[in-house]
Amino acid sequence: MPTASDFERMLRGVSLRVTAPRIAVLSAVHEHPHADTDSIIGVVRQNLGAVSHQAVYDVLRALTGAGLLRRIEPQGSVARYEARVGDNHHHVVCRSCGAIADVDCSVGSAPCLDASDDHGFVIDEAEVIYWGTCPECTTAAKSS
Protein backbone atom coordinates (compact mmCIF):
# COMPACT_ATOMS: atom_id res chain seq x y z
CA MET A 1 0.00 0.00 0.00
CA PRO A 2 1.49 3.34 -1.02
CA THR A 3 2.05 6.00 1.66
CA ALA A 4 0.82 9.60 1.71
CA SER A 5 4.24 10.63 0.38
CA ASP A 6 3.85 8.18 -2.50
CA PHE A 7 0.44 9.66 -3.32
CA GLU A 8 1.92 13.17 -3.23
CA ARG A 9 4.63 12.09 -5.70
CA MET A 10 2.01 10.47 -7.94
CA LEU A 11 -0.05 13.67 -8.02
CA ARG A 12 2.94 15.88 -8.70
CA GLY A 13 4.11 13.45 -11.36
CA VAL A 14 0.96 14.14 -13.39
CA SER A 15 0.99 17.88 -12.60
CA LEU A 16 -1.97 17.78 -10.21
CA ARG A 17 -2.05 19.87 -7.05
CA VAL A 18 -1.67 17.86 -3.86
CA THR A 19 -4.87 18.17 -1.81
CA ALA A 20 -6.28 16.21 1.10
CA PRO A 21 -9.32 14.99 -0.93
CA ARG A 22 -7.08 13.73 -3.75
CA ILE A 23 -4.84 11.85 -1.33
CA ALA A 24 -7.89 10.44 0.50
CA VAL A 25 -9.49 9.23 -2.76
CA LEU A 26 -6.24 7.67 -3.99
CA SER A 27 -5.85 5.92 -0.65
CA ALA A 28 -9.47 4.69 -0.65
CA VAL A 29 -9.16 3.22 -4.16
CA HIS A 30 -5.82 1.58 -3.36
CA GLU A 31 -7.33 0.04 -0.21
CA HIS A 32 -10.59 -1.00 -1.92
CA PRO A 33 -10.01 -2.03 -5.55
CA HIS A 34 -13.13 -2.03 -7.73
CA ALA A 35 -15.04 0.15 -5.25
CA ASP A 36 -18.01 2.17 -6.43
CA THR A 37 -18.33 5.90 -5.89
CA ASP A 38 -20.58 5.63 -2.82
CA SER A 39 -18.12 3.27 -1.13
CA ILE A 40 -15.23 5.60 -1.93
CA ILE A 41 -17.18 8.55 -0.52
CA GLY A 42 -17.76 6.58 2.70
CA VAL A 43 -14.07 5.79 3.11
CA VAL A 44 -13.01 9.36 2.30
CA ARG A 45 -15.49 10.73 4.86
CA GLN A 46 -14.11 8.36 7.51
CA ASN A 47 -10.66 9.81 6.88
CA LEU A 48 -11.46 13.47 6.22
CA GLY A 49 -14.84 14.13 7.76
CA ALA A 50 -17.24 16.24 5.72
CA VAL A 51 -16.62 16.10 1.99
CA SER A 52 -19.26 16.55 -0.69
CA HIS A 53 -20.31 13.96 -3.24
CA GLN A 54 -19.40 16.44 -5.97
CA ALA A 55 -15.88 16.90 -4.60
CA VAL A 56 -15.27 13.14 -4.71
CA TYR A 57 -16.77 12.89 -8.22
CA ASP A 58 -14.50 15.74 -9.34
CA VAL A 59 -11.42 14.09 -7.80
CA LEU A 60 -12.27 10.73 -9.39
CA ARG A 61 -12.65 12.41 -12.78
CA ALA A 62 -9.33 14.26 -12.40
CA LEU A 63 -7.43 11.18 -11.22
CA THR A 64 -8.90 9.03 -13.99
CA GLY A 65 -8.14 11.69 -16.59
CA ALA A 66 -4.56 11.88 -15.34
CA GLY A 67 -4.16 8.11 -15.58
CA LEU A 68 -3.76 7.48 -11.85
CA LEU A 69 -7.05 5.56 -11.64
CA ARG A 70 -9.04 3.45 -14.05
CA ARG A 71 -12.83 3.50 -14.31
CA ILE A 72 -14.58 0.26 -15.23
CA GLU A 73 -18.30 -0.24 -15.73
CA PRO A 74 -19.37 -3.84 -16.22
CA GLN A 75 -22.82 -4.19 -17.81
CA GLY A 76 -25.54 -3.69 -15.21
CA SER A 77 -23.12 -2.25 -12.65
CA VAL A 78 -22.34 1.24 -11.44
CA ALA A 79 -18.92 2.65 -12.26
CA ARG A 80 -16.07 1.14 -10.28
CA TYR A 81 -12.54 2.48 -9.80
CA GLU A 82 -9.18 0.80 -9.46
CA ALA A 83 -5.59 1.90 -9.05
CA ARG A 84 -4.15 -0.82 -11.29
CA VAL A 85 -3.55 1.15 -14.47
CA GLY A 86 -1.45 0.88 -17.59
CA ASP A 87 -1.30 -2.89 -17.97
CA ASN A 88 -4.48 -3.60 -19.98
CA HIS A 89 -5.68 -6.30 -17.56
CA HIS A 90 -9.22 -7.61 -17.63
CA HIS A 91 -11.89 -8.55 -15.08
CA VAL A 92 -14.07 -11.43 -13.96
CA VAL A 93 -17.48 -10.53 -12.51
CA CYS A 94 -19.82 -12.71 -10.43
CA ARG A 95 -23.32 -12.78 -11.91
CA SER A 96 -24.77 -13.41 -8.46
CA CYS A 97 -23.14 -10.96 -6.03
CA GLY A 98 -21.25 -8.63 -8.39
CA ALA A 99 -17.79 -9.37 -6.96
CA ILE A 100 -15.01 -8.29 -9.33
CA ALA A 101 -11.47 -9.65 -9.61
CA ASP A 102 -8.55 -8.82 -11.90
CA VAL A 103 -7.51 -11.17 -14.69
CA ASP A 104 -4.10 -10.66 -16.26
CA CYS A 105 -3.89 -10.26 -20.02
CA SER A 106 -3.56 -13.73 -21.46
CA VAL A 107 -1.65 -12.86 -24.64
CA GLY A 108 1.23 -10.46 -24.14
CA SER A 109 1.17 -6.72 -24.58
CA ALA A 110 -1.71 -4.34 -25.26
CA PRO A 111 -4.21 -4.66 -26.75
CA CYS A 112 -4.03 -8.41 -25.90
CA LEU A 113 -6.48 -9.30 -28.66
CA ASP A 114 -6.46 -8.76 -32.38
CA ALA A 115 -9.75 -7.61 -33.87
CA SER A 116 -10.91 -9.56 -36.90
CA ASP A 117 -11.69 -6.21 -38.59
CA ASP A 118 -10.37 -2.97 -37.10
CA HIS A 119 -12.50 -0.83 -39.47
CA GLY A 120 -9.54 1.51 -39.86
CA PHE A 121 -9.25 2.21 -36.13
CA VAL A 122 -5.87 2.28 -34.42
CA ILE A 123 -6.67 -0.06 -31.53
CA ASP A 124 -4.64 0.46 -28.36
CA GLU A 125 -6.70 -1.37 -25.76
CA ALA A 126 -9.01 -4.37 -25.48
CA GLU A 127 -11.52 -4.72 -22.66
CA VAL A 128 -12.61 -8.22 -21.76
CA ILE A 129 -15.04 -9.05 -19.00
CA TYR A 130 -15.45 -12.66 -18.00
CA TRP A 131 -18.77 -13.49 -16.34
CA GLY A 132 -19.46 -16.37 -13.97
CA THR A 133 -20.14 -17.23 -10.36
CA CYS A 134 -17.61 -16.55 -7.58
CA PRO A 135 -16.54 -19.33 -5.20
CA GLU A 136 -18.68 -17.98 -2.32
CA CYS A 137 -21.86 -17.86 -4.42
CA THR A 138 -21.13 -21.28 -5.93
CA THR A 139 -20.73 -22.77 -2.44
CA ALA A 140 -23.91 -21.04 -1.21
CA ALA A 141 -25.89 -22.35 -4.22
CA LYS A 142 -24.68 -25.92 -3.59
CA SER A 143 -25.68 -25.79 0.08
CA SER A 144 -29.18 -24.42 -0.64
Side-chain angles (χ1 to χ4, degrees), residues 28-135:
V29 175
H30 275 266
E31 289 174 19
H32 306 280
H34 310 122
D36 62 21
T37 307
D38 286 340
S39 299
I40 294 167
I41 290 169
V43 173
V44 169
R45 285 182 174 164
Q46 285 177 343
N47 294 331
L48 289 184
V51 63
S52 72
H53 278 74
Q54 190 60 51
V56 174
Y57 280 108
D58 291 345
V59 169
L60 286 167
R61 190 176 315 107
L63 297 177
T64 302
L68 294 178
L69 298 181
R70 180 178 177 197
R71 176 188 163 121
I72 62 169
E73 197 167 349
Q75 181 180 358
S77 175
V78 297
R80 308 289 184 119
Y81 294 87
E82 64 182 349
R84 185 175 169 184
V85 296
D87 67 351
N88 201 53
H89 69 279
H90 308 298
H91 298 93
V92 60
V93 180
C94 179
R95 291 185 188 277
S96 182
C97 70
I100 300 174
D102 292 335
V103 176
D104 288 333
C105 185
S106 60
V107 186
S109 61
C112 299
L113 302 171
D114 293 319
S116 60
D117 183 353
D118 64 17
H119 299 277
F121 285 66
V122 175
I123 298 173
D124 61 8
E125 182 177 359
E127 183 175 324
V128 175
I129 298 179
Y130 301 94
W131 292 88
T133 308
C134 71

